[in-house]
Amino acid sequence: MSRVLLTGAAGFIGSHIRRQLLERGHDVVAVDGMIPAAHGPDAQAPDGVQVSNLRTADIDSMLDGVDVVCHQAAMVGAGVDARDAPDYAADNDLVTARLLAAMYRAGCARLVLASSMVVYGDGTYTDAVGAAVDPPARTTEALEAGHFERYLADGTPAQWALTPESAPIAPRSYYAASKAAQEAFAKAWTLETGGSVTALRYHNVYGPHMPRDTPYAGVAAIFRSQLENGQAPTVFEDGGQMRDFIHVDDIARANVAAIENTPPGFDAFNVCSGHPITIGEVAHELCRSIDGPEPVTTGRFRPGDVRHIVADPAHARETLGFTAQITPADGIREFATAPLRD
């Protein structure tokens, strides 16, 4: 068994990883900054979790005897506006750089890094015969007219396709840029030190104890919060946006697999369910599960949103031996009544 430094250990994902690591007999050094945006203004750290702001903390002292670092601490979500940019850079990129430097000093050579599908930007598309294409970006004028797909030159919609890890890195938000930078720092570190980094590109994560409706929450939690307030979930565009929703227990399993079987050098993996589903279907499934009001498809849009982004799970299956165990159909029904974090 390994001694694991787990950052973000009190967070939505980190708490599930910690539980699974302990169940498997690993020795976990658990730390969390307990920032209000993630935990609420009055949250207290769980027993066994050290409160530490990794922007300024003595990371070297945390690495005593550590075999592998599982780095989950991050500022997440789309954010509010450009004023969030310095916090994404500090909490995600500066902290990762400090962590990598401390690992070098401590002789700790293995890192499992929480990354995200957002590094891919607009995802992968093909034409009608399956040839890869890069259709023009959506325009505000098209979105205002209700044309939500990305269209080929002949006016037909491009078809979404599974996005492999070899797809170009093309971030479209401050959060996405910070995750891409984390990966770049980590890859450079492996080249210099000979260490190993496994970057896990999470797709849409949901599950028990997910944060409630905040500017940084995921769409599944936003729908849940609306239903709890007696409101119909509000779905942007036409609800046809294709995504891959993966249960937090499966995210934790992927991290455990990477910790116990870290590939050499730098490698990135999609972590997804392998069962694509539309945003509209997620809303409808939540409503059906609790006999709630039908979702309202608003036609509203955010110009920077991605239309479709769906992962190819093959690399994680073949290299890490990871396959998700919970389908969105089963997981979303459970999530409809699962406890959320205030």
Side-chain angles (χ1 to χ4, degrees), residues 221-312:
I222 292 171
F223 290 161
R224 265 291 314 272
S225 295
Q226 289 172 325
L227 285 167
E228 285 187 350
N229 292 330
Q231 302 167 346
T234 52
V235 180
F236 278 24
E237 300 184 16
D238 61 358
Q241 307 94 306
M242 190 65 69
R243 297 291 189 271
D244 190 304
F245 281 76
I246 178 164
H247 196 278
V248 67
D249 283 345
D250 280 325
I251 290 286
R253 291 185 190 101
N255 277 273
V256 172
I259 288 165
E260 295 180 348
N261 180 31
T262 310
F266 178 91
D267 208 348
F269 298 87
N270 288 324
V271 181
C272 59
S273 73
H275 297 275
I277 187 172
T278 68
I279 297 293
E281 288 171 329
V282 171
H284 279 284
E285 188 59 50
L286 286 171
C287 294
R288 281 193 294 268
S289 297
I290 61 169
D291 197 24
E294 284 295 300
V296 175
T297 303
T298 66
R300 292 167 51 200
F301 62 88
R302 291 170 294 206
D305 279 358
V306 172
R307 178 59 177 174
H308 305 297
I309 176 71
V310 178
D312 185 344

Side-chain angles (χ1 to χ4, degrees), residues 13-128:
I13 293 174
S15 60
H16 289 265
I17 296 172
R18 182 186 180 213
R19 173 178 54 80
Q20 289 194 20
L21 286 172
L22 292 172
E23 288 173 351
R24 293 182 64 81
H26 294 284
D27 179 15
V28 181
V29 180
V31 300
D32 198 292
M34 299 302 296
I35 61 173
H39 299 278
D42 302 316
Q44 300 295 312
D47 289 344
V49 176
Q50 172 186 339
V51 179
S52 188
N53 184 340
L54 295 178
R55 292 192 193 184
T56 57
D58 176 13
I59 299 175
D60 296 75
S61 64
M62 302 174 189
L63 288 166
D64 185 27
V66 165
D67 302 298
V68 55
V69 175
C70 184
H71 184 34
Q72 304 296 314
M75 181 174 177
V76 301
V80 177
D81 56 36
R83 286 170 291 191
D84 282 332
D87 286 329
Y88 282 116
D91 285 336
N92 297 354
D93 303 331
L94 174 61
V95 164
T96 298
R98 296 190 77 239
L99 180 61
L100 291 167
M103 290 176 65
Y104 175 69
R105 291 190 293 269
C108 180
R110 293 195 291 142
L111 173 67
V112 176
L113 174 66
S115 188
S116 172
M117 66 171 187
V118 296
V119 300
Y120 297 127
D122 268 328
T124 303
Y125 293 86
T126 66
D127 61 18

